[in-house]
Amino acid sequence: PMKVPVEVTVNCTAACTLCVNYDVDTRNTQIPGIGSWYQHLYHIFINDVDQAVYNQVSATVPNAAYPVAVNGVFPVSAGQHTISIYVKVTGGHLQQFTSHLQVMAIQ
């Protein structure tokens, strides 16, 4: 998986819950073989640890926009936490356009 160029760092003064929402317009510039597709799997990481929460799209048409979102709610301890998004692509050439990473910390 590769890290997408967006991340958020939050500082919780006490144990808190992080509400994470990421959405992106993902595309693949390559044409998959007949009867196949390319998977784009987006994962949420907190402090460089995969949270086992992901969403995926199956890209079958080159250069077509596939909107995808991944969301999760995570309890964390007090302190600073960095939220990142990683993507794994099974083939072709990934392109990403508009994306948003939103994180809300609730104490």
Side-chain angles (χ1 to χ4, degrees), residues 2-106:
M2 66 180 178
K3 192 176 198 178
V4 302
V6 60
E7 68 181 21
V8 172
T9 300
V10 297
N11 188 22
C12 296
T13 56
C16 66
T17 300
L18 299 179
C19 300
V20 179
N21 177 49
Y22 178 74
D23 62 86
V24 64
D25 168 5
T26 187
R27 301 166 189 238
N28 199 304
T29 62
Q30 301 297 311
I31 300 171
I34 296 173
S36 66
W37 53 85
Y38 297 127
Q39 297 290 327
H40 296 191
L41 297 98
Y42 286 86
H43 296 254
I44 297 173
F45 278 62
I46 298 177
N47 301 326
D48 291 324
V49 176
D50 190 345
Q51 299 301 301
V53 174
Y54 70 93
N55 201 353
Q56 68 184 42
V57 298
S58 299
T60 58
V61 177
N63 299 314
Y66 293 93
V68 64
V70 60
N71 308 282
V73 177
F74 309 96
V76 295
S77 61
Q80 186 169 311
H81 302 283
T82 301
I83 298 84
S84 307
I85 304 298
Y86 283 75
V87 61
K88 179 180 180 183
V89 179
T90 61
H93 182 262
L94 173 72
Q95 283 188 328
Q96 300 176 108
F97 290 94
T98 305
S99 67
H100 306 94
L101 175 58
Q102 301 166 321
V103 179
M104 181 170 49
I106 301 171

